[in-house]
Amino acid sequence: MLLQDRVEVKKVVVWEAFDVTDPMTRAAANLYEKTLTPDERIPWMWIEQSVQERPKSKPRPGGWSRHLLLAAPEGKQDDPESLAGYVYGALLPGYGGYLCYVGVADWARRMGVGSRLYDQFFKVLRVDAGELGEALPFVIWESHRPDESATASDWDNWTARTRLFDRVGGLWIEGVDFLSPNFAFDDEEEAPPVPLQLFVKPMDLPESAFTSDRLREVVGGLHERVYQNEPGSRMFDGTLPPGCDPRLRAARTAGAKKSERVI
Ligand SMILES: CC(C)(COP(=O)(O)OP(=O)(O)OC[C@H]1O[C@@H](n2cnc3c(N)ncnc32)[C@H](O)[C@@H]1OP(=O)(O)O)[C@@H](O)C(=O)NCCC(=O)NCCS
C-alpha cells in the first residue's frame, strides 16, 4: 500500500481480536513490541493467552474481563500492513476499568486512531460492567514519563500521549509516582521499580467524587488488584507514603518537562 493511500484514510474500523493466529493479531504483536520499550511492557504471550481464552470467558466477579481491540481502515481489516493500532485492557469487577496498552502505527498517527481506540474500549467496558449489574466508576491507565535526560523524540511522544489522554477525557493524578515492577529484569526484587504517572477517566462517578482519600484508594486498589502488592510492601508504601495528597489535574499538565511545569 502506498503511503499516499494511507493518509487519505477516511474511516477507521475497530473490532475485537479473538484469534491469536490471525495475521492481524500478529501484526498487533509487532506494533506492541515496536512502540513500547521493554520496561513498559509484559511479554506479548500473556496478552495472546487472554485473546485465546476470550471466547470462553465472561465477566465474573473477582475475575478480569480482558479485551484486545484492533483498528484498521475500512476494507483493510485483513491486511496486516494496514493495522492502524491496538488497545489492550480489562474490566476489574468491583474496582474499575484498567487500560494496559495502546499503540498506533507511525503512518496512522494524528488521525484520531488513538482517540477512537480509547472510546471503543470505554464502550466495551461499559457493556462488561452492565452484564455484571455493576457501575463503571472509572477507567485508569499508567504511563511512563521520560526523565530529564530523555531524547526529544521521547518527549514528543510523551506530549502525544498526554494530548491523547486529554482528548479522551483522562485526568492526571498529580502527586503520585506509581512504583511498578520492571519487566525488563528477570528478578523483580533486584530491579529498580519503574515510576509511572496515572491517569483516570471518570465514568459513572463525577470528577468531584475523586477526593484525595478516594484517589488513594484507587491507587492502592491498582497495586492490590493488578500487581498483588499489599500495604506494607515496598512498592505500595513507596507509591503512597504518609502525607501523599493526590489530586486530579488536566492531563496536559503532566506533559510539561519538570523544569517547565507550573506549580
Ligand atoms: C500516543 C499515541 C497512541 C497517539 O495516537 P494517535 O492516534 O496519534 O492520537 P490521536 O490522533 O487520536 O490524537 C489525539 C490527540 O493527541 C494529539 N497528538 C497526537 N500525536 C501528537 C504529537 N506527536 N504531538 C502533539 N500532539 C499530538 C492530537 O493532535 C490530538 O489532540 P487534539 O485532539 O487536541 O488535536 C501514538 O503516538 C503512539 O502509538 N505512540 C507510541 C506508543 C505509545 O506511546 N503508547 C501509549 C502508551 S501509554
Side-chain angles (χ1 to χ4, degrees), residues 70-262:
L70 308 179
E74 190 171 34
K76 303 280 183 187
Q77 296 100 302
D78 287 328
D79 172 9
E81 287 205 9
S82 294
L83 182 79
Y86 73 88
V87 62
Y88 176 73
L91 175 75
L92 280 56
Y95 176 70
Y98 174 49
L99 190 150
C100 310
Y101 303 108
V102 61
V104 172
D106 276 341
W107 63 265
R109 291 196 184 165
R110 301 198 83 160
M111 293 164 57
V113 174
S115 311
R116 188 66 219 294
L117 283 162
Y118 264 83
D119 286 343
Q120 195 62 31
F121 182 73
F122 296 150
K123 285 183 190 153
V124 168
L125 291 202
R126 267 201 192 290
V127 173
D128 270 1
E131 271 189 54
L132 286 170
E134 283 191 6
L136 179 61
F138 58 85
V139 177
I140 192 166
W141 60 92
E142 308 144 337
S143 198
H144 186 211
R145 182 169 52 204
D147 62 31
E148 296 286 357
S149 63
T151 62
S153 120
D154 285 342
W155 275 103
D156 284 350
N157 191 48
W158 177 251
T159 302
R161 288 180 180 189
T162 53
R163 293 220 178 135
L164 167 67
F165 302 164
D166 241 354
R167 153 69 62 184
V168 300
L171 296 160
W172 175 40
I173 306 185
E174 186 193 33
V176 171
D177 279 330
F178 187 87
L179 302 186
S180 70
N182 189 331
F183 293 109
F185 284 72
D186 287 337
D187 185 344
E188 269 177 35
E189 284 303 308
E190 291 296 309
V194 182
L196 302 173
Q197 299 307 300
L198 297 178
F199 298 84
V200 160
K201 156 101 170 166
M203 301 290 289
D204 291 331
L205 275 184
E207 185 182 331
S208 58
F210 291 88
T211 58
S212 180
D213 283 349
R214 181 75 174 101
L215 284 171
R216 288 173 63 93
E217 278 170 26
V218 168
V219 173
L222 187 66
H223 260 306
E224 290 169 312
R225 293 292 302 265
V226 173
Y227 296 96
Q228 278 78 51
N229 289 328
E230 301 293 328
S233 66
R234 174 173 74 125
M235 303 257 197
F236 191 108
D237 291 357
T239 299
L240 290 170
C244 165
D245 182 21
R247 65 193 66 197
L248 291 184
R249 296 270 310 260
R252 84 189 81 89
T253 58
K257 288 186 192 180
K258 238 187 220 154
S259 52
E260 293 167 359
R261 231 174 282 149
V262 180

